Amino acid sequence: FSKILSSGMRIGFVTGPKPLIERINLHTQASNLHPTGITQAMTLALLQQWGKEGWEEHLESTCTFYRTQRDHFLRSAEKHLTGLVEWNTPDAGMFVWMKLLGVDDTQYLIQTKAIESKVILIPGSVFLPNPHPS
């Protein structure tokens, strides 16, 4: 819910086969016990007030917001980065995966130049199960 209801909210839901849900519950208990009771109560009250129709309207509004943000970002990238960077337009999610042409490892560039310029970037290696330069 952190991208749908409120940033930083550490609550969600999952559906799936019972053995998978049991493993997820064990992992949650070992990593963070559970979300705070206040967060759970607030989320429940909000969802009960909205109902299914209100929830779907909120989801559509949130999707429209993020789609607009994505499109603005991609227009800026096209204007300023064409020929320097390759990227794909994401169908979903929060990130645009970019490949800097002629740069094999972005780690140093991100940790120095980007931070100095107050630009937030994340090296692709953090998304890999076996990190390597990206």
Side-chain angles (χ1 to χ4, degrees):
F1 288 101
S2 70
K3 303 298 185 272
I4 300 171
L5 289 180
S6 178
S7 60
M9 183 178 267
R10 298 295 181 239
I11 188 170
F13 65 91
V14 64
T15 63
K18 186 175 179 179
L20 175 62
I21 302 302
E22 290 171 351
R23 297 297 294 180
I24 290 171
N25 279 334
L26 285 174
H27 174 72
T28 300
Q29 291 169 0
S31 63
N32 66 352
L33 296 179
H34 57 78
T36 66
I38 292 172
T39 301
Q40 292 181 62
M42 288 172 37
T43 302
L44 176 61
L46 183 62
L47 294 175
Q48 286 175 332
Q49 180 181 341
W50 279 349
K52 184 176 187 284
E53 185 176 304
W55 170 247
E56 289 175 354
E57 287 174 15
H58 178 73
L59 285 178
E60 185 57 41
S61 171
T62 302
C63 288
T64 299
F65 170 77
Y66 283 122
R67 188 178 307 109
T68 301
Q69 296 292 96
R70 179 205 63 192
D71 292 346
H72 177 72
F73 176 82
L74 291 171
R75 281 192 302 274
S76 294
E78 194 168 309
K79 179 178 178 181
H80 299 288
L81 299 175
T82 297
L84 302 171
V85 176
E86 293 176 347
W87 66 86
N88 292 317
T89 300
D91 293 325
M94 300 290 296
F95 299 99
V96 175
W97 186 280
M98 296 181 139
K99 178 176 173 58
L100 299 176
L101 302 176
V103 178
D104 293 325
D105 187 358
T106 59
Q107 189 79 30
Y108 173 78
L109 182 65
I110 289 171
Q111 290 181 339
T112 58
K113 303 296 182 185
I115 290 173
E116 289 170 8
S117 299
K118 297 183 179 172
V119 174
I120 298 174
L121 297 171
I122 302 171
S125 60
V126 303
F127 295 97
L128 302 173
N130 299 310
H132 57 77
S134 66

